[in-house]
Amino acid sequence: MAVHILEKSLEELAATEGGMAAEKVRKRNKQVRLAMLLSIAVYIICFEYISLGDSVSFYFLKCLALFLSYLVFIKFIRKYLSRLHDILEVECNPYKMEEALAYFYIKNGIAGKESKRRMYNILIARAIIFQGDFDRAYALLEGVDRERLGKGYWLCMYHDCMRMYYCSKDDVLMLADMKKHFFQLSKDYRLRKRYRKFMEKEIEFINIHISMMKGELDDYETASRKADWKKGKNIMLVSHRWMDARAHYIKNEMVAAQMDCQFVTENGGRLYYTELARKMLENIELANAAIQ
């Protein structure tokens, strides 16, 4: 029986591609935070220096210049603050992401910290979902107490994972129940506006999935015409482009479907969409060969 990734030792995880990336992120972020603390000290020293012997107007001009310089510096240095999530969101490598999260899970003793354990379970489950291993992801999500997720980011991430799981199973009844729940959350003004919008997006994804199961594309056409369809991190662009491929395939627009699949295979990294796109390309090529 294969050893579960969270049962591996820290040394084993450190030797993985994800573990090495996680340690690199940890060290870099530590250096950046130190640089930011030093910059604050320099800012305070400079502020004290310019306050001596200046006229009031010249003093305020110097303060303004110093403040603006500091804002530029902070913006610049934050660009170098490495984000672990880029492994999945930008690189589209859910296997490496799972290893990186597992490395931090073991290194930081997350197993003994209940609130953080819930967060990591959701993040690891999300990485596993994008590997296409939906049942293993669901097993992790079952251990998450939804009532303790609050009304913000983690509640949204949990529901996003569960929605993808039930879409993978084509469970229309459960998806219908989720739609009702998401609608209630979208009208719950205790949630911030961006989280209510998130729930509306979840409803949109469910509508697209259920309608595509029936070979209907009205919900897809409405969503794909929106300005944000071709915006976002690489993982979202690939996800949307795979939906484009499915829609074009249903409409028998094979040239467009091929272009969509090529985009997915070239940009999807190790997401499970990539393998699905390869299979669709093979089917199109076989159909073209049969016609010839």
Side-chain angles (χ1 to χ4, degrees):
M1 182 181 293
V3 177
H4 190 283
I5 194 166
L6 294 181
E7 295 174 353
K8 291 185 177 182
S9 68
L10 187 62
E11 290 74 20
E12 289 176 303
L13 289 168
T16 65
E17 185 182 12
M20 288 185 283
E23 182 60 19
K24 185 177 179 180
V25 165
R26 188 187 70 83
K27 288 180 178 178
R28 186 170 185 176
N29 287 355
K30 188 175 180 180
Q31 292 170 351
V32 170
R33 290 190 182 100
L34 178 60
M36 290 180 71
L37 288 173
L38 288 173
S39 72
I40 292 171
V42 171
Y43 178 84
I44 293 171
I45 292 169
C46 290
F47 183 83
E48 290 296 325
Y49 177 75
I50 66 170
S51 66
L52 301 174
D54 290 329
S55 66
V56 174
S57 59
F58 193 50
Y59 166 74
F60 280 112
L61 280 174
K62 280 188 172 182
C63 284
L64 179 61
L66 184 59
F67 180 69
L68 291 175
S69 298
Y70 183 69
L71 289 180
V72 171
F73 174 76
I74 292 297
K75 185 177 181 179
F76 175 79
I77 206 167
R78 278 182 176 171
K79 289 174 66 177
Y80 292 90
L81 193 63
S82 300
R83 293 184 68 252
L84 186 71
H85 302 293
D86 283 349
I87 295 172
L88 180 60
E89 306 295 326
V90 179
E91 295 180 33
C92 292
N93 191 335
Y95 298 91
K96 182 178 173 181
M97 184 68 188
E98 184 186 2
E99 292 168 350
L101 289 167
Y103 176 81
F104 276 122
Y105 188 99
I106 301 300
K107 187 173 182 65
N108 296 330
I110 299 300
K113 302 171 183 177
E114 186 179 351
S115 62
K116 288 189 176 182
R117 188 171 68 247
R118 289 195 295 271
M119 298 172 189
Y120 269 81
N121 280 356
I122 293 170
L123 290 174
I124 293 172
R126 187 166 184 266
I128 294 170
I129 280 173
F130 281 106
Q131 297 169 18
D133 194 347
F134 298 99
D135 291 332
R136 188 160 68 93
Y138 183 75
L140 265 179
L141 292 169
E142 277 191 308
V144 175
D145 185 352
R146 188 177 66 181
E147 300 301 320
R148 304 192 70 176
L149 293 175
K151 294 284 186 179
Y153 177 81
W154 294 108
L155 181 70
C156 291
M157 288 296 100
Y158 171 83
H159 281 310
D160 187 47
C161 290
M162 293 301 283
R163 187 264 307 167
M164 287 190 281
Y165 170 76
Y166 285 112
C167 281
S168 76
K169 301 299 180 182
D170 293 334
D171 192 331
V172 176
L173 292 177
M174 183 58 74
L175 289 172
D177 286 342
M178 293 186 83
K179 264 183 66 175
K180 293 176 184 177
H181 184 57
F182 293 160
F183 180 78
Q184 292 172 349
L185 288 172
S186 73
K187 302 301 178 185
D188 186 346
Y189 289 94
R190 290 174 296 176
L191 271 70
R192 293 183 182 180
K193 184 178 179 179
R194 68 173 179 268
Y195 299 136
R196 297 199 304 272
K197 289 288 185 184
F198 186 94
M199 293 305 170
E200 290 174 4
K201 200 73 176 175
E202 291 293 297
I203 293 171
E204 183 177 81
F205 284 138
I206 290 174
N207 288 338
I208 291 172
H209 184 82
I210 292 175
S211 61
M212 276 190 166
M213 285 174 61
K214 303 173 184 176
E216 300 169 359
L217 296 172
D218 288 348
D219 291 302
Y220 159 78
E221 297 288 1
T222 300
S224 63
R225 283 194 292 266
K226 293 180 180 178
D228 64 350
W229 189 257
K230 295 183 179 180
K231 294 180 181 178
K233 292 290 180 69
N234 199 34
I235 193 171
M236 187 58 68
L237 295 177
V238 170
S239 175
H240 286 174
R241 200 63 182 269
W242 170 240
M243 281 190 242
D244 292 340
R246 290 170 61 200
H248 287 132
Y249 194 86
I250 291 170
K251 291 190 287 187
N252 202 33
E253 296 174 352
M254 296 306 168
V255 174
Q258 279 182 303
M259 292 176 64
D260 295 328
C261 287
Q262 285 166 359
F263 178 90
V264 173
T265 56
E266 290 169 6
N267 297 278
R270 298 184 68 191
L271 300 178
Y272 78 97
Y273 299 130
T274 305
E275 186 57 33
L276 294 176
R278 287 197 186 100
K279 289 179 180 178
M280 184 178 284
L281 279 173
E282 289 173 6
N283 290 337
I284 293 171
E285 288 167 4
L286 286 172
N288 289 340
I291 293 170
Q292 295 171 358

